[in-house]
Amino acid sequence: MGKADVNVNIWLSEKNRFANLFNGVIYGGEDVILPEDLEEVNPVSSVNVKNRVGKTKSMKKYRDIIMRWKSQATLVLLANEAQDKIHYAMPHKVMLYDGMDYETQIRNNWECFTEGQRQAKKTGQTLEHLTAGEYLSRFRRTDRLTPIISLVFYYGSEPWDGPVDLYDMFRLEGTEKEKAILEKYLPNYRINLVDAERLEETERFSEDLQVILTMLKYRKDKDGLRNYVNENKQFFQKVDHETSQAMKAFLNMKHIPGETENKEEAINMCEAIQEMYDDGVRDGMQQGIQQGRDDLLKEKVKRKLQKQKSLEQIADELEEDVRVIRKIIKEVQ
């Protein structure tokens, strides 16, 4: 995971913001998931897999963020994966993560059951009888899993053109009828994609999440970004450390002016974005000056060539490196 993803995940893992994200995506902005009902869960899932020769290998996967949500109705696990680049196997990745989490639940349920059986045997209590199917599957008929809802928070600048479900990853050939029959029986797994820059109805989100998600729409428009920040000065003049680091990742900023090691100190992102804008203008002016010099040198070389001057003569008369002149001659001929 890159540093940008780490900063975005730290920002999103704050419980108010995390609940806000899921409420906006799943419940249209209604406050159904409450921050106080969220509990952080160990993001590591592992399974043991046997290879062809029977040797066991442990496989581990690390979620970006996963929390347990205990509502009045049921218990649900909420997970989020942050992506700044398109992942063309994302449906498989999320399916694997979810599958390993379900495997962990099944294993934990079985371990709790067997421990209960051991304790019952020690105290002389009646042991629970298992059917052959229950023993084979290590899952009792009355056992139930905690459902998992996974989001993929994509904040890249390019539109997502990767698959959103397993069907998009399959190679289905034949007639339309044949492909339709295959699709009917093929298992599918669809990801819940949040394309942050292209989200519609950002008003479904509240507080700083709404402001930042709206800001992303102006990433490629520096004037628009500067105007949006100025319109929301009250927010951007005093930004907390976690939000400033997320903005740094979202806007691909090299550094934030005025940033200190004191994470409790608010940061003026208005000034930071203005400086980023000014740097861009200066870079553009510098590039323009250099382009002008290059064009002038190219024109001088053309004139020398018309006078049948050699490569060495041109380089000597223009006081330039022979390699530079050779490159220009190749371009103009």
Side-chain angles (χ1 to χ4, degrees):
M1 186 190 303
K3 188 174 181 181
D5 284 351
V6 171
N7 288 331
V8 171
N9 281 321
I10 291 173
W11 181 65
L12 286 174
S13 63
E14 194 275 325
K15 289 183 180 179
N16 283 286
R17 201 171 287 125
F18 189 84
N20 188 359
L21 174 64
F22 275 82
N23 281 327
V25 174
I26 299 173
Y27 295 106
E30 186 180 351
D31 289 333
V32 177
I33 302 171
L34 303 178
E36 56 267 28
D37 293 334
L38 294 175
E39 178 186 356
E40 291 187 30
V41 176
N42 185 354
V44 182
S45 295
S46 62
V47 294
N48 293 324
V49 181
K50 287 187 178 181
N51 60 19
R52 294 178 181 177
V53 297
K55 188 175 180 180
T56 300
K57 180 181 178 181
S58 179
M59 180 189 298
K60 287 187 177 181
K61 292 292 181 182
Y62 298 83
R63 289 273 197 181
D64 285 351
I65 313 170
I66 184 166
M67 294 196 188
R68 183 182 291 109
W69 172 42
K70 179 65 175 73
S71 70
Q72 293 181 352
T74 188
L75 183 67
V76 180
L77 289 175
L78 305 175
N80 182 73
E81 299 297 319
Q83 287 287 139
D84 66 337
K85 294 180 177 61
I86 299 168
H87 194 306
Y88 289 97
M90 185 54 75
H92 170 264
K93 179 180 179 180
V94 175
M95 181 181 69
L96 183 60
Y97 281 9
D98 289 352
M100 290 182 69
D101 282 335
Y102 287 131
E103 169 65 22
T104 300
Q105 290 185 47
I106 292 172
R107 187 173 63 244
N108 290 342
N109 285 348
W110 185 254
E111 288 175 357
C112 287
F113 166 72
T114 53
E115 178 60 27
Q117 291 286 78
R118 281 193 291 267
Q119 294 300 324
K121 188 175 182 179
K122 284 182 180 180
T123 57
Q125 299 178 32
T126 304
L127 298 181
E128 181 179 339
H129 174 71
L130 291 181
T131 66
E134 289 175 315
Y135 188 80
L136 175 67
S137 58
R138 299 293 194 268
F139 195 77
R140 296 173 297 169
R141 185 166 53 86
T142 55
D143 283 343
R144 293 295 180 269
L145 297 175
T146 299
I148 303 168
I149 299 175
S150 296
L151 297 185
V152 176
F153 185 85
Y154 170 65
Y155 60 97
S157 58
E158 298 300 321
W160 181 277
D161 63 354
V164 294
D165 57 35
L166 277 183
Y167 280 174
D168 289 343
M169 297 179 67
F170 292 146
R171 178 181 287 113
L172 299 179
E173 298 177 347
T175 65
E176 291 302 316
K177 182 179 179 180
E178 290 171 337
K179 289 190 286 186
I181 292 174
L182 286 174
E183 288 180 357
K184 180 179 179 181
Y185 293 98
L186 282 169
N188 197 13
Y189 203 91
R190 187 175 184 84
I191 61 174
N192 299 302
L193 179 69
V194 180
D195 193 340
E197 184 177 315
R198 283 154 283 276
L199 266 178
E200 298 180 359
E201 301 178 2
T202 52
E203 62 273 10
R204 291 181 296 167
F205 306 91
S206 59
E207 302 172 354
D208 63 345
L209 191 61
Q210 180 186 112
V211 177
I212 298 299
L213 289 176
T214 306
M215 178 200 74
L216 292 179
K217 299 179 184 298
Y218 299 98
R219 281 195 297 192
K220 298 175 183 176
D221 177 7
K222 285 191 174 181
D223 287 332
L225 176 62
R226 188 173 56 170
N227 292 337
Y228 177 75
V229 169
N230 288 332
E231 290 170 3
N232 294 272
K233 271 188 177 180
Q234 188 174 356
F235 173 84
F236 287 107
Q237 281 181 333
K238 292 183 178 181
V239 173
D240 63 76
H241 177 78
E242 290 180 355
T243 304
S244 71
Q245 296 306 301
M247 288 181 63
K248 185 177 179 180
F250 291 145
L251 300 176
N252 198 25
M253 300 174 71
K254 295 179 181 178
H255 69 281
I256 300 176
E259 183 180 14
T260 66
E261 294 183 1
N262 183 6
K263 295 183 179 181
E264 303 299 321
E265 186 177 337
I267 297 175
N268 188 336
M269 291 302 295
C270 292
E271 294 179 357
I273 290 174
Q274 182 61 47
E275 181 167 318
M276 181 179 73
Y277 178 86
D278 292 341
D279 287 344
V281 171
R282 282 193 293 270
D283 290 344
M285 292 175 62
Q286 195 64 39
Q287 290 174 7
I289 292 171
Q290 185 60 47
Q291 185 63 48
R293 290 172 178 167
D294 292 344
D295 290 344
L296 179 61
L297 179 60
K298 191 178 292 185
E299 192 61 36
K300 289 180 178 179
V301 170
K302 285 181 180 178
R303 292 172 185 169
K304 299 287 184 182
L305 287 172
Q306 290 172 353
K307 295 179 181 179
Q308 306 298 316
K309 297 287 180 95
S310 68
L311 168 64
E312 290 74 14
Q313 286 177 318
I314 296 174
D316 183 60
E317 292 178 10
L318 296 179
E319 297 182 348
E320 287 287 348
D321 191 287
V322 172
R323 290 170 295 182
V324 173
I325 300 302
R326 182 182 291 113
K327 182 179 179 181
I328 294 175
I329 291 174
K330 286 182 178 179
E331 290 177 1
V332 300
Q333 285 184 334

